[in-house]
Every structure is written in structure tokens, then in C-alpha cells.
Amino acid sequence: MSILRPLRRYFLPSRTMGRYVIRVFLFRFLGIAIGVAVVLQMLDLLAQSDEILASEGNGTSELWRYVWLRFPELFSRFIPFSALLAVLLTMATLSQHSEIVVMKASGMSAHRILLPLGIACFGIAVTHFMLDQIMVAPAKAELEYWKRFDYASDLPPPPDILDDLWLMEGTSLVLVKAVSRSGNRVILDKVTVYERDENDLLSGILRADFAWHTDGQWTLYAVRRFDVTSHEIMTAQSMPWSLASPPERFFSLNVDADQSSFSKLWRSISQLQREGQPVSALKAGLLHKIAAPAASLLMPLLGAIAGFGQQRRGKIFARMAVGMGLGFTFFVADNFMLAMGKFGAAPPFLSAFGAMIIFASVGFAALFYSEE
């Protein structure tokens, strides 16, 4: 500890100053984050209240249920934006009261002044990540399910059923109208197999009322097969099906990155990778679950321009506008890169962290320039 103490004193400011800066920043952050989320929630509720109350039996309790499911997503979405505004206001206040001048006069460099804000933003990023996995993803999935049935008041919990799934098995295309789970058994309903030859031409169509997986083998029931070449129709009560896909593959095919937790999405990607399926879009969504909360770590760099610079120049509002402009540009670029990743036009890592790397470089460059 005696060896690390000089290093800590070199990089970290005094505890009193650090606690003061963190307290000022967190006070502004919470006020902005809660205020923005509440205003957006009120506007969103006004827009959706007619549809919610139009369903028979709905009333005040359903409106509060909508708020309960919608508010976590709105609050989570604007956490980095609120952190940016809080950094801008904190740095502008410290600069306006000449507190940054006093810190520099005492020998503190720019990184030592920003370090308390970085520590606070790290805590915000970790909390943001946990909030997304524990509350936001399940609430969004439940809200989408409720919205799909027009906000019905007597809607039962969402069943473990998937519908209209396509997959490729060898040269054949398989359509499953519904996938359900009964205990340890997975049941496929209304199975259609479009058999193709080596030239990708249709050679036969096989239909079955249902199929299930037992003892490592799929079995089709109430089977009918049409042969395209001979025009013959074959029927059978049951027959084995040489489908190599395990049951869990069907549940991985219909995963939504925005409505899944990090662990669930990770398992689905691993399952699809073992099956040789393309997972670049899901990987982009998985990495963005880390990049979105980590964006708060970038806000001290983008907002530092509001506090640093020669004080005799004034123009503090102009510096705040530049910092806000950098922040808005970052959010636009981040959403653009995420969309590119989901469409497969950009590698997953670049789509998730590309904008952050670029704007971190811009923030460091602006910081060094202001110091010079």
C-alpha cells in the first residue's frame, strides 16, 4: 500500500475535491435523467392512452401497467444523454466560478480534474448495464406481447410458443408454423419440407401435422409427400425424420436482441454458431448491450470542452454548444453504425464500438488542444 499511495496521489485528486465534483455531477445527472424520462413518458402515454382504453375492460390500472413497462426503457435510453448534459453543466459551473482555475493552479492536470467524473460515469455505466438486463429487456418483451394483442386486459402470460420459423437443412427448406414446449419435449406443428436436388430444383414437398424429438431423433406424424417428378403422393402415419437440428435451435432462431438479456442472447448466439447459422446481426446487438452503457464513459471527454480553455476568452455558452453538438453527433453516428451492423454491412465490433473509438479520439484531441 505504501508503494501505491504516491501513484494514487499522482493520478487521483484530493478526496474532498473528488467527492465535491461527484456530488455536483450526480445531483445534476439524476435531475436531468428523471426529468427527461418523466416528460417523455407523459407524452408517450398521451399518444397511447386512446389505444389502451379502447380495449374492453381497460382502465386506470392498465394505464399504470403501461407506464410500469415503458418507463424503464425510456429512462435507460437517455442515460448517456443525461450524463452528457450533467457533465456540461458541471464543467460550466466549475469554470464560471473559477474552480477549475484554482484546481489547475494547485498543480492538477486536466485528466486529474476529469477523473472524478470518469469514476462517477463508470458507476453509471455499470448500473445502466444491470438495469438493462434485469428490467428493460423483460419489460420490453412483455410490452410488445401486450401491444400485439391490442392491450387486452385479460391477456394470459406469454406462452413458450414460436410461430412461422424457416430454416435450411442441407439443400431443403423447412417451414414450421409453430414451436411449443411441453415439459422436456419440443413439438413442431404443421411442418413443411421443400426438398431440393443438387441443382436447387424442387424435387418434392413433404408435409406433417406435427413432429417431436425423443431419444435424439425427430419423428414426423400424419405425413404426406408429393414427388414432383412422378407426381405420386405417399402417406404414412409416422416416419423418422433425419433433421440434424436440436430442439433448442428453433428457440434460438426467433430471438430478439432488444428483448433478450445478455446471457440469453449469448446462449442463442452460441447455439446458432454450433449450427453454422449467420449470427453477425445478433453479435452486433450483443456487443451494443455493452457499448450502450459504456457510452456514459465517453461523456466527460465530450463535455470537458465546456470547462477547459482560456477563461479570459469567455464564450462559455459557445463551448457548451460545441460539447452538446459533439454529443448529438456521437448518438447519431452510434445509431447509424448499429443499423449497419444489424444489416451485415459492418463487422459487429465496429458497429458497436466504432463511433465510441472515433469520438474518444476527438475528445482527447479537443482536450489536448484546450490545454495548449
Side-chain angles (χ1 to χ4, degrees), residues 6-23:
L7 189 64
R8 182 186 65 79
R9 289 180 176 176
Y10 176 77
F11 285 101
L12 292 174
S14 67
R15 294 181 180 179
T16 302
M17 194 278 286
R19 285 195 296 265
Y20 168 70
V21 173
I22 290 176
R23 184 172 64 251

Side-chain angles (χ1 to χ4, degrees), residues 222-254:
V223 184
R224 302 169 302 280
R225 184 183 182 277
F226 173 73
D227 190 287
V228 173
T229 304
S230 62
H231 295 177
E232 294 181 354
I233 298 178
M234 182 272 295
T235 61
Q237 291 185 352
S238 65
M239 63 178 292
W241 187 19
S242 60
L243 181 68
S245 299
E248 291 301 323
R249 178 181 178 184
F250 292 94
F251 291 92
S252 299
L253 287 172
N254 204 37

